[in-house]
Amino acid sequence: MALYIEVNQLRKVYPSIPSNITALDGVALQIADGEFISFLGPSGCGKSTLLRCIAGLEPVSGGSIRIKSKPLDGPPDKLGIVFQRDTLADWRTVLDNVLLVSEFRRRKKSDVRARGVELLSLFGLSDYTNRYPWELSGGMRQRVAICRALADDPELLLMDEPFGALDAMTRDQLNVELQRIWYQKQKTVLFVTHSIVEAVFLSDRVAVMSSNPGRIIDVLDIGLPRPRRLAMRETPQFAGLVARIREIFMSLGILRDE
């Protein structure tokens, strides 16, 4: 696959008193077109900061980011973002929320409506197009947020702990649905999570990060066949990958088994 994103010795420092805070230092990573890569690490290790830098929402303090071989100088074209909170507008219908980004980009509503309806159908929300977000469960609201991010047909999808606030069963179901959509559309996805199991289930590769300052200390190839079913999590191969990542965190003192 062709190279899509190149992060080279990235450094991000936040000015502060009495001393500056170095959120990221020496981050280097290459991401292929159509790859699903997860960033996994403890709170405060810079996962979200890295995503915001790649989204062009945070200026970098050193190093560089290139997308399609071009230096990043602002939010890249064809970008979709999903946050931990769904940030839906409760006064707009589900379908109108999905079409919101296209409206900001001054696309004709009639041109994108069909795509919005299609996405809602793919996520099992066909019966809710004219409902309002306050009428939906948390999992359904997050489905709408993902549809909104996909509505403008982005090449790059950044997801910052999108399922972190959901219950375990809803989270499992959305993992399956996200994998299915990615498998169909082959977007480049950068996914931030605290869950080792989630990262292994969804990803082509998992970037393991440490904190103080944030660095990528290992990148693991997952190599499990796709499409993946939830039952795969019970296999020795899956368990071995989870154990390997857990051992990395234990060696850093982030996890303790005593």
Side-chain angles (χ1 to χ4, degrees):
M1 291 187 289
L3 180 63
Y4 190 86
I5 299 172
E6 185 176 11
V7 180
N8 183 38
Q9 299 303 312
L10 184 67
R11 180 176 171 84
K12 175 62 182 178
V13 179
Y14 291 103
S16 185
I17 298 174
S19 60
N20 294 341
I21 298 171
T22 302
L24 298 168
D25 192 26
V27 174
L29 186 65
Q30 294 185 335
I31 301 169
D33 187 15
E35 184 174 16
F36 196 123
I37 184 165
S38 288
F39 296 90
L40 186 65
S43 296
C45 73
K47 302 184 298 296
S48 297
T49 299
L50 178 56
L51 246 62
R52 290 197 298 270
C53 289
I54 292 172
L57 302 176
E58 291 273 4
V60 304
S61 306
S64 64
I65 300 173
R66 301 177 72 88
I67 295 184
K68 290 185 170 181
S69 300
K70 296 180 180 179
L72 183 70
D73 58 2
D77 294 333
K78 297 186 176 181
L79 169 68
I81 305 178
V82 183
F83 299 101
Q84 183 172 359
R85 296 182 180 274
D86 57 64
T87 64
L88 299 180
D90 278 335
W91 61 91
R92 296 175 66 104
T93 66
V94 164
L95 181 57
D96 284 342
N97 266 282
V98 171
L99 303 182
L100 187 59
V101 173
S102 298
E103 290 178 19
F104 286 155
R105 292 176 179 169
R106 300 190 177 184
R107 306 280 177 86
K108 288 185 178 180
K109 191 173 181 178
S110 57
D111 293 342
V112 295
R113 181 182 175 85
R115 177 165 175 78
V117 170
E118 176 193 8
L119 285 166
L120 289 169
S121 177
L122 286 172
F123 276 89
L125 294 169
S126 294
D127 294 336
Y128 298 89
T129 55
N130 295 316
R131 296 289 187 92
Y132 290 86
W134 51 267
E135 299 180 274
L136 308 182
S137 68
M140 293 167 73
R141 289 177 65 107
Q142 201 64 340
R143 286 185 177 96
V144 176
I146 296 171
C147 290
R148 181 179 60 190
L150 292 170
D152 211 36
D153 197 24
E155 293 179 352
L156 175 61
L157 183 61
L158 306 182
M159 307 187 78
D160 190 358
E161 293 191 72
F163 309 140
L166 302 179
D167 65 88
M169 291 184 67
T170 301
R171 187 169 185 160
D172 283 351
Q173 187 59 50
L174 287 183
N175 277 190
V176 172
E177 292 181 8
L178 175 60
Q179 179 200 217
R180 176 172 56 84
I181 295 299
W182 173 84
Y183 199 68
Q184 291 176 354
K185 305 296 184 179
Q186 292 292 296
K187 308 294 184 184
T188 304
V189 179
L190 279 60
F191 188 90
V192 165
T193 181
H194 282 104
S195 169
I196 298 175
V197 170
E198 183 171 70
V200 172
F201 181 77
L202 288 171
S203 307
D204 295 315
R205 291 189 297 157
V206 174
V208 180
M209 297 184 66
S210 64
S211 55
N212 301 318
R215 303 175 187 270
I216 294 176
I217 55 174
D218 203 351
V219 180
L220 285 78
D221 290 315
I222 299 304
L224 297 172
R226 293 188 186 270
R228 298 170 188 164
R229 299 183 181 276
L230 291 175
M232 180 178 283
R233 299 187 304 189
E234 311 304 322
T235 64
Q237 295 89 343
F238 191 98
L241 288 163
V242 170
R244 183 177 169 192
I245 295 172
R246 188 178 293 117
E247 287 167 3
I248 294 172
F249 288 132
M250 291 178 68
S251 71
L252 295 170
I254 295 169
L255 287 176
R256 292 182 174 86
D257 191 21
E258 59 184 14

